[in-house]
Structures are given as structure tokens and as C-alpha cells.
Amino acid sequence: MADPEEPVSRDPAEPGEPLVTGPDFVEDLPEDEPAPLPAPEGVTDVIDTDYEIGQDNLTDQFVLKFDVHRPVFTISSLIIIGIVLVTLIFQHDLDPFFNGMRDFLTGKLDWFFMLAGNVFVLLCLGLIVSPLGSVRLGGPEATPDFSLLSWFSMLFAAGMGIGLMFYGVSEPMSHFDTSLVGPVIEDGVRTDWAPLMGAPGDELAARRLGMAATIYHWGLHPWATYAVVALALALFSYNKGLPLTMRSVFYPILGERIWGWPGHLIDILAVFATIFGLATSLGFGAQQATAGFNFLFNWPNNNTTMVILIVVVTGIATMSVILGVDKGVKRLSEANMMLAFALLLFVILVGPTLAIFNGFAGNLASYTREFLPLSNPFGRTDDNFRHGWTAFYWAWWISWSPFVGMFIARVSRGRTVRQFLISVLLVPALVCVLWMTTFGGTAISLTLGGFEGISDAALELKLFAMLSQLPLVSITSFIGIILVLVFFITSSDSGSLVIDTIAAGGKVNSPVPQRIFWCSLEGLIAIALMLAGGLGALQAMAVSTGFPFTFVLLGACWSIVQGLRNERRKLM
């Protein structure tokens, strides 16, 4: 067995062995057999280990076939089911607990989340300009499995769809309103929610600061968090020959110990972070879709409607996840992205078009100017903004990162590190700027023009209040609901595929019944937390699972650099 500090380098196939490449590598497998990962193509720094993917798995068939990693699946599924049952039984008593847990983590550890986010951004930007950026994921001869359009559609729809629909209008409006008022001091304590020191009385400055704060939460930092996980997984799976699980990333640190309990713990944390991060997003989607149906059709806006909606959408997501990435997730993602950009184009054309185009450049400039002040976790007085907005967002992005990161890794083979990071980090961030500028900027312009309905509306209704002031309100509002629902579905089905990969010990395309199990469990968690404490409970679980997983991501940063350095040396 090789020393973990000195992985064995070899070509992807030994003499006399066929080279396994490309998307057709599973064509000779039995139909129900989980597919292995494709072998590296070209000379790579493959890690020599005696471990075989699936050797610790429990495989059997009574009524349904399954293939799961015994410790990871058993422990994570039992604990999650236990949380669901306790939450449903004591749903009326847990609201103070969930709110207290969320407030403690975001209030006392905001500096930790913010510093970690800064590390992720610096690492990604550094790798883009570094010679390490020339390393190709999958080996120097690997080619992409998906076109740029399909690839971008899948990563973007999985990464931020529901959040952009929920916060596209509500967050810019919230920051604008609070910035315009400025700091509010009561009994010597600042009680307002304005970012930094606000811009009291200055409408233009408040608009710029509000948009800068919004873009800060949706720009480089979240996508850098996703990129760290995705790059680490793709590198150690496609180039190093290890399973597609979070434990593989820690081979440079733990060596062969990743196959024991240290590795089990890492993967269990990844399952927890993923499923509760997803539940938060599904809760946002259910709340906004229910509000939209109430706005258009006067459906009851209550928990019963949300539960029914979650059940229906989870059922559709289950059908999509059965079809897999190529037939289900890919097609839904592409269709939804086209619909999203159609709505975006409509608002640009019928809204304040000139203000939107001018605002795009101005908002980018404001984001650049305020980037360092907003990124600084120390010596600030805007506690409500920093704790209630930034710290929660960072914990949410981190809890989502195993899901989005692994999903991106699965569809990113064949890209160079530089191309990967530019596409995953910079391009989606610019699209987020355009989205927030269009929807948030239009809402602010309407408010400055005298319409107060957006400011008065609840968070989940602000999008529909803004659309009510534009032509074809019934059509665009219905499209908005469809977008929320399909983003809901794509997040759920792609998340289920990812969780199943982790719980199957790194096997991809595992048996369908266990994918159905995880998809159903996601819906149950969202329902249980919505009934127990609403969005506060959902946010609390996302933050509580994001905190320990932050340590995992910081360790992954070091492993990425070490892994890329070994790949680079092999190519020289």
C-alpha cells in the first residue's frame, strides 16, 4: 500500500487493459447495476489504495433492491427520521428552541462564517490566475460530457433558483427601505436592519447600498462556496480515482483513515447539511408558491395548502429523479432556465429599461466599492443586518454546498480548473447581478414612483406585488409560480441524487428505490419543520448543520491545493 503522502501516478489503463472513457463506459453493465465512475483519461496522479467502491455497502433484495453504505446510510437516515418524528410530535413546543438555536449561531459565530466565506473566494480567484488552473478534471485527455448550455442550466437551476425567486424583489427592497431610514438607536443599542451605516435621506445612495448588499449575498461568496466542494469532489474522483463522496477529499490529510470512522463522520455531516439545507429552500418555495396561488386564485394561504403543495411537488420530483440526470434533471433545468430568462426579458422590456441597464453597471460598481466593508466581520455596528442576513446566508450556502457541489462535480468532468471556476464562480454571479438589478431595481423604481404596495407586502408576496404594476399581470404571476415550482422540483430531484450518492458510498446511478426514499424524506422534513416553526425552524436547521460542515470545507481548501499541485507536477 502506498504512503498517503505520495500517491502512485499511473496512466488510466495498464498495458493490455482497455481504456474506459466517456459517457458510454457503462454500456456492458447489467441494467440494474450501479455504474462506476469513468477512469481518468491521460496521465494523472491516481491514488493507489486497496479500497474498492462499495466494499462496505449493504446490498440485498427482499421486495426492493438497495445498495447503501452501512454506517453512513444507517446512522444518517435513522437520526433524520427521528428528528422528523420528534418535530411532528412536539411541533407546537419547538418554535422557541429553533429560533434560539438560529439566533445563537448567527449572533455569536457570524465572524466565523464570514471569515470562512472570504477564504473560499480568495482560493477560487487565486486558482483562476494560477498555473494550477490548467489542470483538466478527468485527466488531460478528458472531454466534457455536457454542452455549455446544458451544463450551465443544470448548475444554475440547482444552485439558486428558488432563492432568486423568493428574494429577487424582497431583499433589494428590504435593504433599500432600511438604508433610507438609516441607523436607529434605542437605549444605546442599534436596532435597525440597514447594512453598514445606511444612507439616511439619500434615495440614490440607499438604492446603491441596498443593491450592493443584495449582490454581496448572491455574488462571489455563495458560488465560491459551491465551487470549493465541486472542485474538490471532481478532482479526487475523476483525477485521483476515489469515490465521489466528501471523505475522498480528505485523503491528503487522513490517508487510508478516510475509509474508517473519520470518513464516515464526514459523509454523515454531508448528508445532514444537504438534506436540511434543501429543506430550507423547499420551505421557501412552498411558502412563495402558496402565496402566489392565493394572489391569483384566492387559494387559502395556510399550512394545509403548503403541505399539499410539498406532497405534490415531491411526487413530481420523485418521477424526475427516477429518470436520472440526462432525462429528468437536465430537461427540467433547461426548460426552466428558458422560462426564467423569458420572464427576465419581459421585465426588462416593459419595466424601467433604461434604469435597469444603467443600474447593472452602477450596481456592479457599488458592489465592488462596498465589497471589503461588507466582507469585514469586525468593528461593525450593523448587528441585525450582519446576523440576520449575512451569517444566515453563509450558513445556508455552506449547508447547500455538498448538494450543489456534488451535483456540479457530477456534470463537470472534462473542464479545466480555470474554465470550471470562471463558469461556476463568475458567470452565475453576473447573472445574479442582472436578475437582482432587474427585479429589485424595478421594485425600487416603482416605490420611488409612489407605489407602496411592494414595501407593505410580505416577503413571499413582494414579487407578485411588483408584477401587479406591469402588463399581463395574471400571465407573469402564473409564470412566476411555475418557475418556483419547477425550481422546487429541480432542487429536490438533484438533491436526492446527490444524497443517495453519498449514502451509497460514492456509487452513482444506484438502485431507484433508495433515490425515492431520499426524495420522500426531503419532503417529510420540509413539512415537519414548516409545521413546527415555519421558516424559523427551517433556517435553524440549515444554520446548525452548516456550522460543523464549515470545518469540512476549510479542510477541503487545503486538499484542493495539494491535489492540484500533484497533478500539475505530473504534467510537467
Side-chain angles (χ1 to χ4, degrees):
M1 186 180 303
D3 189 324
E5 297 299 326
E6 297 181 1
V8 173
S9 302
R10 64 173 182 260
D11 289 338
E14 301 295 343
E17 294 181 353
L19 180 64
V20 183
T21 63
D24 299 325
F25 69 98
V26 298
E27 59 185 6
D28 296 327
L29 289 173
E31 186 175 342
D32 60 350
E33 180 70 18
L37 291 172
E41 299 183 47
V43 179
T44 58
D45 189 45
V46 177
I47 292 175
D48 187 23
T49 176
D50 292 336
Y51 185 84
E52 295 183 5
I53 297 177
Q55 72 176 42
D56 293 327
N57 280 24
L58 180 65
T59 58
D60 208 339
Q61 185 169 354
F62 297 101
V63 178
L64 300 173
K65 183 177 178 61
F66 57 89
D67 187 352
V68 295
H69 191 281
R70 280 175 290 185
V72 174
F73 177 85
T74 303
I75 294 174
S76 58
S77 59
L78 288 179
I79 292 177
I80 291 169
I81 291 172
I83 291 174
V84 171
L85 292 176
V86 170
T87 302
L88 288 174
I89 293 171
F90 300 101
Q91 59 183 269
H92 300 297
D93 303 316
L94 291 177
D95 192 24
F97 168 76
F98 285 126
N99 287 330
M101 180 169 60
R102 179 196 59 194
D103 294 344
F104 173 79
L105 289 172
T106 57
K108 301 297 184 183
L109 297 171
D110 59 302
W111 60 270
F112 175 69
F113 288 119
M114 293 179 70
L115 286 178
N118 293 341
V119 170
F120 305 149
V121 171
L122 290 174
L123 174 66
C124 292
L125 294 178
L127 289 176
I128 288 175
V129 300
S130 164
L132 299 177
S134 62
V135 174
R136 186 173 294 276
L137 301 174
E141 299 175 12
T143 56
D145 295 330
F146 299 97
S147 68
L148 276 173
L149 177 61
S150 296
W151 180 50
F152 178 72
S153 297
M154 285 189 285
L155 73 89
F156 193 80
M160 290 201 165
I162 290 177
L164 286 178
M165 295 300 296
F166 192 91
Y167 285 110
V169 171
S170 60
E171 186 173 354
M173 277 301 305
S174 297
H175 297 331
F176 167 75
D177 286 338
T178 56
S179 295
L180 192 60
V181 174
V184 177
I185 308 297
E186 296 180 4
D187 298 326
V189 178
R190 186 171 167 183
T191 59
D192 65 280
W193 287 74
L196 301 175
M197 296 305 295
D202 189 333
E203 292 180 349
L204 179 59
R207 182 178 191 139
R208 290 287 187 241
L209 180 58
M211 292 304 304
T214 302
I215 295 168
Y216 169 65
H217 291 149
W218 296 84
L220 293 180
H221 281 81
W223 288 100
T225 304
Y226 299 157
V228 165
V229 177
L231 177 57
L233 288 169
L235 175 66
F236 284 91
S237 297
Y238 295 135
N239 293 63
K240 309 294 186 181
L242 298 180
L244 190 65
T245 62
M246 285 304 302
R247 71 174 72 206
S248 298
V249 175
F250 286 80
Y251 197 93
I253 299 173
L254 298 174
E256 292 293 316
R257 286 175 295 173
I258 65 170
W259 312 125
W261 278 104
H264 301 341
L265 180 60
I266 290 169
D267 280 350
I268 290 169
L269 285 175
V271 171
F272 287 162
T274 303
I275 204 158
F276 287 111
L278 273 170
T280 301
S281 299
L282 300 186
F284 283 138
Q287 190 175 52
Q288 188 173 34
T290 302
F293 282 124
N294 175 263
F295 175 80
L296 276 182
F297 307 115
N298 202 31
W299 288 12
N301 189 358
N302 54 31
N303 283 341
T304 301
T305 305
M306 281 189 277
V307 169
I308 294 173
L309 194 60
I310 291 173
V311 170
V312 171
V313 171
T314 300
I316 299 173
T318 302
M319 290 187 288
S320 176
V321 83
I322 291 173
L323 294 174
V325 173
D326 285 318
K327 296 179 181 178
V329 180
K330 175 184 173 182
R331 292 174 182 174
L332 274 175
S333 298
E334 290 176 346
N336 214 40
M337 289 308 298
M338 288 189 288
L339 193 60
F341 279 101
L343 181 62
L344 177 71
L345 183 62
F346 174 82
V347 176
I348 291 175
L349 293 177
V350 305
T353 307
L354 184 60
I356 291 172
F357 284 119
N358 289 336
F360 181 79
N363 293 337
L364 271 179
S366 299
Y367 172 54
T368 304
R369 183 173 58 253
E370 304 294 349
F371 184 83
L372 291 180
L374 289 168
S375 301
N376 173 32
F378 305 114
R380 291 167 56 175
T381 61
D382 54 345
D383 288 350
N384 284 339
F385 170 80
R386 203 167 68 258
H387 300 163
W389 285 100
T390 304
F392 162 68
Y393 267 133
W394 271 214
W396 188 21
W397 302 146
I398 290 168
S399 70
W400 255 53
S401 63
F403 148 52
V404 182
M406 185 172 290
F407 184 76
I408 294 173
R410 285 190 62 174
V411 299
S412 297
R413 183 177 172 273
R415 310 288 176 184
T416 67
V417 170
R418 184 172 294 110
Q419 181 188 28
F420 172 88
L421 288 174
I422 290 174
S423 298
V424 174
L425 185 67
L426 300 181
V427 174
L430 289 175
V431 174
C432 286
V433 175
L434 179 60
W435 186 278
M436 294 297 185
T437 297
T438 300
F439 286 85
T442 299
I444 293 173
S445 295
L446 290 170
T447 300
L448 292 176
F451 178 63
E452 298 180 356
I454 303 173
S455 295
D456 295 338
L459 284 179
E460 63 271 17
L461 275 172
K462 288 186 184 293
L463 170 65
F464 303 107
M466 184 272 287
L467 292 176
S468 72
Q469 300 303 297
L470 302 179
L472 306 176
V473 56
S474 297
I475 296 175
T476 56
S477 296
F478 186 71
I479 289 174
I481 296 172
I482 295 299
L483 283 171
V484 171
L485 293 177
V486 180
F487 277 133
F488 193 147
I489 294 168
T490 54
S491 295
S492 180
D493 58 14
S494 52
S496 300
L497 291 170
V498 165
I499 295 171
D500 185 47
T501 299
I502 301 172
K507 286 190 174 182
V508 296
N509 301 328
S510 51
V512 169
Q514 59 202 57
R515 287 185 252 165
I516 296 174
F517 168 79
W518 288 114
C519 196
S520 302
L521 194 56
E522 288 169 23
L524 284 174
I525 292 170
I527 290 171
L529 293 175
M530 286 295 296
L531 294 176
L535 291 182
L538 292 163
Q539 292 171 348
M541 293 306 298
V543 172
S544 63
T545 53
F547 171 64
F549 203 72
T550 306
F551 294 97
V552 175
L553 264 62
L554 291 171
C557 292
W558 188 86
S559 293
I560 288 172
V561 175
Q562 295 303 310
L564 289 176
R565 288 176 63 189
N566 290 337
E567 289 292 306
R568 177 73 177 171
R569 280 198 296 266
K570 189 62 180 176
L571 291 173
M572 294 177 64

